[in-house]
Amino acid sequence: MARIRTTVDGLVYEDDVEPRMLLVQYLRERLGKTGTVIGCDTSNCGACTVHLDGLSVKSCSVLAVQANGSEVLTIEGLERDGQLHPMQQAFHDNHALQCGYCTPGMIMQSIDLLGENPDPSEQEIREGIEGNLCRCTGYQNIVRAVQDAASKMKPGSAPAAESGAKQTVAGGGA
Amino acid sequence: MIPAQFDYVRPTTVDEALAALRDGGDDAKLLAGGQSLLPVLRLRMADPSLIIDLNGIPELKGVREEGDKVVVGSMTTHYDVTRDDTLRQHVALIQEATRTVADPQVRHKGTLGGALAHADPAGDLAAPALALDAEFVIAGPNGTRTVAAADFFEDYFTTAIGEGELLTEIRFPKYTGWGARYEKFNRVAQAWSIVAVAATVKVDGGTISEARIGLTNMAGTPVRARSVESALVGQSATEENVRKAAQAAAEGTSPTADADAGSDYREHLARVLTGRAVLAAAG
């Protein structure tokens, strides 16, 4: 067993974990954060994407013990004061999902993308989410949602919307 | 699936890591970015008894200039490689190739040294390292040694890194002002390269004065397209000249045949992609 201390969605957790425990298992099975899902088990699908110290990672390909001393942000940590994150709202407004299984990973990766490139072209959005598979939508509405969120999260738009920028969410609210 | 049980250590210096390797013996495995190792562990294709995590060793991270070389720590992530100004200026080819590795999440965790030490023949960073005449600094129980790229890649998933050793640095000569292009052919986004070509050329007044070309997945190790390189030198960088020189790209290769492509198709791809890569690099 290894002792880890990790900030997840703004709260500090201390736990003993087996070294072989994956970060996604830790989030789901220890912390009950089942908003982060396991899709493919082969690192391809991106459904388990979370932010680790401000950068998106596939949480099935990181050991829980490697998150010791780090900050993790999951889909469950995006909402603020009952308000959806602008990216969540954009996925809702643009019907960017059908079955919804890829959605947590899509949203986390899309937020990462806008942190890197606040005004991406359609092609840049498609490349930015190439590590996330959706088997329902054909990606059309997902790309629209990211474009919509980008326009609302631009610097100069409402302050509430700007809270979606990477620099701010990277803190995990801690 | 979850990995089989293992012990875990996170050394903070290269010396500590080497000591852990010595104590762990055959059954110890080094963890770099983990983007190949974790899937392998989950599929139970490997079951080491000890994982030595290199992520806590600051001396293995970062890019620095050292005289006429650019030195990249083995644990520098793909993400950091793609954003580094020194590499952009002096070793553009490695940056071009790194941008095509997997997807953004994998590039955030995966490392240059990890990918090179893994030596997957379809991996994207070995061919540019070979083309660029990179040197590999390897630390071991008897100190460090430096291995040329031409001697580093030995076979499928096999490098010159011996038992009890670890890769600490990759040293690139400077190619300041050279054009660079990595042309990759794969079936779908984030798939492995079926074939890819790494090309960097120096153009003086419209004439190619030097050329370096490496091929991905045309053998168990990366291959230099030396006949193409010499055919290009002294030529003006026209489409006709480049395509003609690129006809020799498959010479000396031994590509595999698999579900994605037969050997002859891979040879065809090598010729076509070499033409495209050189033209783009020269443009």
Side-chain angles (χ1 to χ4, degrees):
Chain A
M1 287 289 181
R3 187 85 178 155
I4 61 169
R5 182 184 163 89
T6 306
T7 304
V8 182
D9 296 337
L11 290 177
V12 177
Y13 297 87
E14 277 196 56
D15 270 301
D16 290 317
V17 297
E18 272 192 286
R20 65 169 168 169
M21 179 176 257
L22 305 171
L23 178 57
V24 69
Q25 281 179 281
Y26 177 68
L27 295 173
R28 290 174 58 83
E29 295 168 21
R30 283 290 179 84
L31 306 188
K33 289 186 172 283
T34 51
T36 302
V37 295
I38 300 173
C40 68
D41 237 358
T42 57
S43 315
N44 281 304
C45 80
C48 65
T49 299
V50 301
H51 294 184
L52 180 61
D53 293 328
L55 293 176
S56 61
V57 298
K58 296 181 178 181
S59 60
C60 72
S61 294
V62 179
L63 299 171
V65 67
Q66 292 185 281
N68 182 32
S70 291
E71 294 196 4
V72 178
L73 179 67
T74 79
I75 187 78
E76 298 187 32
L78 293 180
E79 190 186 275
R80 293 287 151 79
D81 306 323
Q83 294 287 307
L84 292 179
H85 183 283
M87 189 65 74
Q88 291 174 304
Q89 190 62 49
F91 269 64
H92 178 266
D93 293 346
N94 291 276
H95 192 60
L97 57 103
Q98 287 178 32
C99 87
Y101 204 81
C102 72
T103 309
M106 282 288 180
I107 288 176
M108 296 312 289
Q109 180 53 29
S110 299
I111 293 170
D112 184 277
L113 167 66
L114 294 192
E116 200 73 32
N117 178 359
D119 190 18
S121 66
E122 182 185 334
Q123 184 61 27
E124 286 169 337
I125 292 171
R126 288 182 182 276
E127 286 174 8
I129 58 172
E130 74 173 332
N132 294 71
L133 301 181
C134 171
R135 299 287 82 150
C136 305
T137 64
Y139 302 96
Q140 299 294 341
N141 285 359
I142 293 174
V143 172
R144 272 184 210 125
V146 179
Q147 287 170 322
D148 184 18
S151 70
K152 290 178 177 152
M153 288 164 64
K154 264 189 194 140
S157 57
E162 279 183 37
S163 70
K166 190 174 192 172
Q167 291 77 358
T168 315
V169 288
Chain B
M1 294 256 296
I2 60 169
Q5 280 187 321
F6 51 76
D7 292 326
Y8 171 92
V9 292
R10 188 179 165 100
T12 55
T13 65
V14 169
D15 287 342
E16 281 176 30
L18 290 172
L21 263 180
R22 187 192 58 223
D23 297 342
D26 281 356
D27 247 9
K29 193 83 189 156
L30 296 171
L31 171 63
Q35 302 302 288
S36 294
L37 181 59
L38 264 288
V40 162
L41 293 178
R42 288 207 318 269
L43 293 167
R44 307 270 177 129
M45 289 161 70
D47 58 343
S49 58
L50 174 67
I51 291 284
I52 303 167
D53 184 352
L54 301 179
N55 285 278
I57 307 178
E59 64 193 284
L60 293 179
K61 292 176 191 167
V63 179
R64 66 176 196 274
E65 286 185 72
E66 213 179 273
D68 58 354
K69 296 281 167 71
V70 177
V71 182
V72 184
S74 57
M75 287 296 292
T76 308
T77 62
H78 302 316
Y79 176 70
D80 286 338
V81 165
T82 59
R83 287 155 49 96
D84 187 82
D85 288 335
T86 302
L87 288 171
R88 181 169 305 128
Q89 201 184 339
H90 301 297
V91 201
L93 182 60
I94 198 72
Q95 229 172 21
E96 287 282 312
T98 302
R99 277 198 197 95
T100 76
V101 171
D103 55 53
Q105 293 99 314
V106 168
R107 292 195 293 273
H108 285 150
K109 283 299 287 178
T111 63
L112 177 62
L116 292 169
H118 186 52
D120 188 318
D124 293 304
L125 303 177
L130 181 70
L132 292 164
D133 280 327
E135 293 173 335
F136 294 75
V137 181
I138 299 169
N142 305 314
T144 64
R145 62 194 181 101
T146 302
V147 176
D151 302 318
F152 181 78
F153 301 102
E154 295 183 342
D155 205 342
Y156 290 90
F157 301 99
T158 309
T159 70
I161 303 170
E163 220 170 278
E165 293 186 319
L166 70 91
L167 177 63
T168 57
E169 287 176 356
I170 302 96
R171 302 168 66 89
F172 296 98
K174 287 181 180 170
Y175 295 85
T176 319
W178 290 47
R181 179 70 160 211
Y182 190 68
E183 276 291 328
K184 174 168 173 172
F185 193 85
N186 57 5
R187 206 168 51 79
V188 293
Q190 66 163 262
W192 294 97
S193 288
I194 295 172
V195 172
V197 177
T200 189
V201 297
K202 190 175 182 203
V203 180
D204 293 314
T207 301
I208 296 173
S209 57
E210 291 184 77
R212 305 291 173 85
I213 300 165
L215 310 176
T216 296
N217 215 12
M218 287 298 289
T221 62
V223 181
R224 271 291 275 279
R226 290 195 184 271
S227 329
V228 182
E229 292 176 4
S230 46
L232 285 169
V233 172
Q235 302 278 338
S236 57
T238 63
E239 177 152 0
E240 192 191 346
N241 287 345
V242 170
R243 299 240 183 257
K244 195 173 160 207
Q247 288 309 305
E251 275 180 21
T253 64
S254 48
T256 188
D258 58 22
D260 285 326
S263 307
D264 54 346
Y265 182 53
R266 280 199 162 86
E267 291 175 4
H268 167 76
L269 285 175
R271 290 188 284 267
V272 172
L273 297 175
T274 297
R276 285 183 196 166
V278 171
L279 278 171

